[in-house]
Amino acid sequence: MENKIDNKEAQPAKPDKFRRLLKLSGWIVALFLFVIVLGGSVTDSKMRECSNVYIKIDHENGLFFLDEEDIHASILNFYNQDLKGLQMHSIDFVDIEEKLEAIPFVQRAEIYTGMQGAVHVDVQQKEPLLRIVNNSAVSYYLDVNGQKMPLSSKFTARVVVATGSVENTDSSEVFHSLLELCRFIAKDEFWKAQFEQIHVTESGDFELIPKLGNHIIKFGRVEEMDAKFHKLMIFYKEVLKNFDAEDYRIINLKFKDQIVCTKNNF
């Protein structure tokens, strides 16, 4: 009887458990040392003194309600001392952000540390949408979110001015309709360049006063706003190419599917 020869290759030996355990232990030790070094670095960072304060304001947006000196003076006023020279652990970054964001012209503030102990303060200003000058001689801005902003002695924003019967409360229908109308105008470059004033009548209707020409556009309420601006665009493109804008005194958009114009009597 012939002996059968097993031609199968020998199976590779399993990794040595000791070597695997040794390798795992090495990783654990390395991680432990990394945590110690990192912890030491964080502790050292907290104990480090603030070497300088760098303030950045979004002036590239064309808004100049605030400058670096205003922010620096505000922080100094909060704590009766400069941040420079203070240890990092004693500076409450969240508190500074909250206090800066309480300034009427500030939309958002972000405070963070940089290299070599520097503190960076980034400030985003509120963006005004319109200025209100009502019948009670009360004047203020409304930002794009509908929040009130005071006027500034440093800077005057070039926005639409709303006059007439505008109440000083944000709960009125006229208030919200005015915001809706101004947002519509602001998102279109043509209309944004066209109008400088919106007058609110006692009945709550809106009258648009363009920058060019002596006519008044009786807009009415904000219902069917798209259709009204479409009609007005047709008037500008089709009618005024043959006539002078100075020929008209009133352009009435309040009637459905038509424009009623009143000419000047020279």
Side-chain angles (χ1 to χ4, degrees):
M1 185 175 186
E2 296 182 356
N3 293 329
K4 293 182 178 180
I5 298 176
D6 190 0
N7 292 324
K8 293 182 179 181
E9 296 181 357
Q11 296 292 330
K14 294 183 179 180
D16 185 78
K17 291 184 178 180
F18 179 75
R19 285 188 299 169
R20 291 169 56 191
L21 182 61
L22 187 62
K23 187 176 181 180
L24 179 61
S25 300
W27 279 108
I28 293 174
V29 171
L31 179 61
F32 179 72
L33 292 175
F34 174 77
V35 171
I36 292 177
V37 172
L38 181 62
S41 175
V42 171
T43 302
D44 180 66
S45 176
K46 289 183 178 180
M47 297 303 294
R48 180 182 296 175
E49 291 184 353
C50 173
S51 60
N52 213 335
V53 179
Y54 296 100
I55 298 171
K56 181 182 178 182
I57 305 175
D58 59 344
H59 290 152
E60 64 274 9
N61 293 331
L63 302 175
F64 296 90
F65 291 109
L66 298 165
D67 56 32
E68 288 77 6
E69 291 182 2
D70 294 325
I71 300 300
H72 184 81
S74 296
I75 296 175
L76 187 63
N77 183 59
F78 296 155
Y79 303 106
N80 295 318
Q81 59 182 330
D82 200 342
L83 297 183
K84 187 176 180 179
L86 295 179
Q87 290 186 337
M88 287 296 187
H89 72 85
S90 67
I91 301 176
D92 191 335
F93 285 19
V94 174
D95 185 61
I96 296 175
E97 289 179 351
E98 291 177 349
K99 283 182 167 62
L100 288 178
E101 288 174 355
I103 297 174
F105 299 111
V106 175
Q107 177 65 36
R108 186 178 62 85
E110 184 178 1
I111 319 296
Y112 56 93
T113 57
M115 299 296 293
Q116 300 178 345
V119 171
H120 294 262
V121 183
D122 290 352
V123 175
Q124 177 186 350
Q125 299 170 94
K126 288 182 178 178
E127 181 181 352
L129 178 68
L130 73 151
R131 177 179 174 178
I132 288 177
V133 184
N134 63 20
N135 289 335
S136 301
V138 177
S139 185
Y140 53 90
Y141 291 109
L142 289 178
D143 71 3
V144 293
N145 298 312
Q147 300 297 316
K148 291 182 179 180
M149 297 171 54
L151 302 184
S152 170
S153 59
K154 288 187 173 184
F155 176 70
T156 300
R158 295 183 178 181
V159 292
V160 172
V161 177
T163 59
S165 301
V166 185
E167 300 177 21
N168 295 323
T169 172
D170 57 6
S171 61
S172 70
E173 180 182 350
V174 169
F175 186 93
H176 289 286
S177 295
L178 183 59
L179 276 176
E180 186 178 354
L181 177 58
C182 288
R183 285 168 179 160
F184 187 99
I185 293 173
K187 71 181 182 180
D188 187 289
E189 290 300 322
F190 178 81
W191 298 128
K192 186 177 180 180
Q194 189 71 21
F195 302 114
E196 64 179 3
Q197 183 180 348
I198 299 174
H199 183 74
V200 183
T201 67
E202 291 184 0
S203 63
D205 282 355
F206 297 117
E207 296 178 346
L208 309 182
I209 301 175
K211 294 179 181 179
L212 300 177
N214 294 319
H215 56 277
I216 295 174
I217 300 167
K218 291 186 175 294
F219 193 84
R221 304 299 175 93
V222 294
E223 288 78 14
E224 298 183 352
M225 188 156 50
D226 288 307
K228 290 178 180 179
F229 276 106
H230 180 68
K231 288 191 298 183
L232 184 59
M233 181 63 76
I234 293 175
F235 176 82
Y236 281 146
K237 287 184 176 181
E238 301 300 327
V239 177
L240 293 188
K241 70 180 181 180
N242 298 316
F243 296 92
D244 194 328
E246 301 290 340
D247 295 340
Y248 294 93
R249 181 166 54 90
I250 296 174
I251 300 171
N252 197 331
L253 305 176
K254 295 169 62 174
F255 299 97
K256 188 175 179 63
D257 298 328
Q258 61 179 319
I259 302 174
V260 179
C261 300
T262 305
K263 283 193 171 185
N264 278 312
N265 296 320
F266 295 110

